[in-house]
Amino acid sequence: EPEVTQTPSHQVTQMGQEVILRCVPISNHLYFYWYRQILGQKVEFLVSFYNNEISEKSEIFDDQFSVERPDGSNFTLKIRSTKLEDSAMYFCASLLGAYEQYFGPGTRLTVT
Amino acid sequence: AQSVAQPEDQVNVAEGNPLTVKCTYSVSGNPYLFWYVQYPNRGLQFLLKYITGDNLVKGSYGFEAEFNKSQTSFHLKKPSALVSDSALYFCAASSGAGSYQLTFGKGTKLSVIP
């Protein structure tokens, strides 16, 4: 069964450094998402991406965040200058159009 | 703004007994409602959805959920719990109408006791 994959599973970085989280969505899906879950809190929507552009973003998704689909398979989330409060589990999801999103296993980002 | 509430942080149920995990929502228009399950160190796994039609929807692993528009609820149920059902359950909603971003509840930890 096709699945969403994410790398790395765990990323440790120092405050102020740039990180890139990578996702490979399910191959025929059209919509792509990033969500995050701070430890002990809700899963929160960050951004959605369709037809090579951002379709929606939350107030969390400020100028330090960016997304890209550099080729036909990868979907990346870049955090330009990480802060301590960016420490969270980041989930990628993809959607074909049948309404349910399929989630990857997540990348745990730890900012020290 | 839309919101999803899961009033119970934890639900404990004996193996073989029926289980219910509660969810209420606040979404403008006709909501799209979902249940996801998360096992330790794993991603979110889709269980079932309500888009339109029958209020009782059936999903994976014997789970079902009932959409109640008047009570704005979408409770998850299973007639007979298994120990392997122990996990974290998330209710989620989207408003449809071209926006598929999900708003999640805080999650309910289900423990099925042998």
Side-chain angles (χ1 to χ4, degrees):
Chain A
E1 186 177 323
E3 57 183 18
V4 177
T5 59
Q6 289 185 243
T7 54
S9 56
H10 191 191
Q11 173 90 48
V12 180
T13 190
Q14 289 191 327
M15 199 167 50
Q17 295 297 303
E18 175 183 286
V19 294
I20 298 176
L21 309 183
R22 301 179 194 280
C23 168
V24 179
I26 295 173
S27 62
N28 62 338
H29 283 194
L30 302 176
Y31 299 82
F32 312 109
Y33 302 82
W34 284 101
Y35 293 82
R36 78 171 185 192
Q37 184 181 30
I38 295 172
L39 189 63
Q41 298 186 24
K42 291 185 183 186
V43 177
E44 301 171 291
F45 167 77
L46 291 177
V47 66
S48 61
F49 193 84
Y50 170 70
N51 201 24
N52 284 320
E53 60 183 24
I54 290 173
S55 48
E56 292 178 290
K57 60 183 181 179
S58 71
E59 58 273 13
I60 302 168
F61 194 86
D62 62 23
D63 290 345
Q64 70 159 341
F65 290 92
S66 62
V67 290
E68 197 177 32
R69 189 156 159 83
D71 53 40
S73 58
N74 291 284
F75 179 51
T76 62
L77 174 69
K78 183 194 290 186
I79 309 176
R80 223 176 312 279
S81 176
T82 49
K83 305 173 195 163
L84 293 176
E85 54 265 36
D86 294 327
S87 295
M89 182 73 90
Y90 288 80
F91 293 106
C92 173
S94 69
L95 169 69
L96 175 59
Y99 310 116
E100 65 263 29
Q101 295 177 26
Y102 290 85
F103 284 78
T107 293
R108 180 164 297 285
L109 176 65
T110 302
V111 182
T112 63
Chain B
Q2 58 193 41
S3 63
V4 174
Q6 292 179 245
E8 303 150 319
D9 290 336
Q10 175 138 3
V11 169
N12 297 322
V13 63
E15 187 177 23
N17 280 3
L19 70 87
T20 299
V21 182
K22 295 179 181 175
C23 172
T24 59
Y25 64 89
S26 173
V27 174
S28 58
N30 296 317
Y32 296 167
L33 299 165
F34 305 84
W35 277 100
Y36 285 85
V37 61
Q38 186 179 33
Y39 297 99
N41 301 315
R42 302 287 296 277
L44 298 165
Q45 231 176 292
F46 169 73
L47 273 182
L48 51 79
K49 68 177 183 278
Y50 172 82
I51 304 298
T52 187
D54 283 345
N55 290 342
L56 184 66
V57 293
K58 295 187 184 296
S60 308
Y61 313 119
F63 284 93
E64 57 190 31
E66 186 165 13
F67 170 65
N68 187 317
K69 189 170 184 177
S70 62
Q71 296 186 2
T72 61
S73 67
F74 189 57
H75 301 329
L76 181 71
K77 300 183 181 188
K78 187 173 182 182
S80 177
L82 300 173
V83 172
S84 56
D85 294 329
S86 299
L88 191 55
Y89 289 81
F90 290 95
C91 182
S94 71
S95 63
S99 171
Y100 299 128
Q101 65 166 275
L102 293 175
T103 298
F104 283 85
K106 65 185 168 121
T108 298
K109 184 177 178 183
L110 174 67
S111 293
V112 181
I113 302 154

